[in-house]
Amino acid sequence: MNRTLVILCGGDSSRMGTKKALLPFEDKTMVEYIYDKFSPFFDKVYLSVNERGDLSHLGLDAQEIPDISRNAGPYGAILSCLTMISGDRAFFMSVDTPFMDPRTAVFLYEQSYNYDITTFELQGDYLDTICSVFNKRCIGPLFKSIFFKKATRNYIQDRCYTNLIDTSEIKNVSIISMEQQFYKVNDRGSYYYAVFSILKHNFIC
């Protein structure tokens, strides 16, 4: 299998007012929920954190990688992780997308072999969603984008060999809709909706 997963757990969570990774979700925390769902599909799991030790009390079999810079946003976290992971590439996802299907991640991984970046061609409200495989060949372009304060999706993808996959492909690998998979827990309202959706699903099942 030889797949690597990075869960982005850093950031300030200013709209939420607390760490998203530690929000209660089912009978665990948000990051534990994602770890339990995705880890059977990956050989190695890393947690991108603000500072080493942020999530060590959870006892997950995952190595923490602290951000090089707290002010560089998600692409700074991705750069930090690419310099530290043992493999040549990893699937990156944010801790605030708990409905993402592991099969979607595996699908992207399978399409990523010859590319620097493999991701979906997202538009509109989904543009800032992190759901991508990044190769270590992206380290240079990522560093330059941050150094020159141009760390945007388009700037980075234009400077990397990028495989953009149409979102219509999602229905071929998962029964979960694109809208549900890319639903983001950004604030208290979206968090309560996500918790209610999980409770409703478990009740029906």
Side-chain angles (χ1 to χ4, degrees):
M1 193 163 55
N2 196 27
R3 302 188 196 112
T4 301
L5 167 69
V6 177
I7 306 173
L8 300 174
C9 304
D12 295 327
S13 300
S14 55
R15 281 182 286 179
M16 186 64 68
T18 189
K19 287 182 181 293
K20 295 178 185 178
L22 296 178
L23 287 170
F25 208 73
E26 278 198 331
D27 58 346
K28 56 198 77 173
T29 63
M30 186 87 77
V31 67
E32 288 174 303
Y33 177 84
I34 292 175
Y35 175 87
D36 289 348
K37 184 164 68 169
F38 277 77
S39 58
F41 296 84
F42 289 86
D43 302 281
K44 182 70 175 178
V45 180
Y46 294 88
L47 303 178
S48 170
V49 295
N50 290 335
E51 296 183 14
R52 193 180 304 277
D54 281 354
L55 302 174
S56 59
H57 64 285
L58 297 176
L60 299 177
D61 183 18
Q63 179 181 333
E64 290 183 339
I65 300 178
D67 288 349
I68 294 173
S69 172
R70 288 286 300 275
N71 301 315
Y75 289 113
I78 292 170
L79 172 61
S80 301
C81 292
L82 286 175
T83 64
M84 294 296 293
I85 62 173
S86 57
D88 65 337
R89 65 194 189 278
F91 174 76
F92 288 79
M93 65 175 293
S94 174
V95 75
D96 61 9
T97 52
F99 300 128
M100 192 170 290
D101 191 332
R103 289 168 293 189
T104 300
V106 171
F107 171 73
L108 283 183
Y109 221 100
E110 291 173 345
Q111 312 301 314
S112 70
Y113 181 72
N114 292 317
Y115 294 92
D116 300 340
I117 301 173
T118 299
T119 188
F120 288 108
E121 194 166 8
L122 299 173
Q123 298 178 357
D125 294 338
Y126 307 108
L127 263 177
D128 64 343
T129 303
I130 303 296
C131 174
S132 309
V133 178
F134 285 86
N135 192 288
K136 284 189 173 183
R137 292 190 297 268
C138 295
I139 289 175
L142 282 166
F143 178 81
K144 290 178 182 178
S145 74
I146 293 167
F147 182 82
F148 292 112
K149 300 186 185 305
K150 295 182 178 181
T152 65
R153 186 186 187 96
N154 287 340
Y155 182 92
I156 294 165
Q157 288 183 357
D158 287 348
R159 285 155 180 80
C160 295
Y161 185 32
T162 301
N163 182 17
L164 289 176
I165 298 175
D166 195 283
T167 54
S168 63
E169 295 290 334
I170 292 176
K171 65 178 180 294
N172 296 323
V173 296
S174 174
I175 61 172
I176 304 173
S177 70
M178 183 198 81
E179 291 77 14
Q180 187 77 352
Q181 290 199 55
F182 296 149
Y183 180 83
K184 297 187 69 175
V185 177
N186 284 322
D187 51 26
R188 289 287 173 177
S190 56
Y191 166 62
Y192 295 141
Y193 172 83
V195 170
F196 175 76
S197 297
I198 287 292
L199 290 173
K200 182 179 179 182
H201 176 266
N202 289 344
F203 177 77
I204 292 173
C205 293

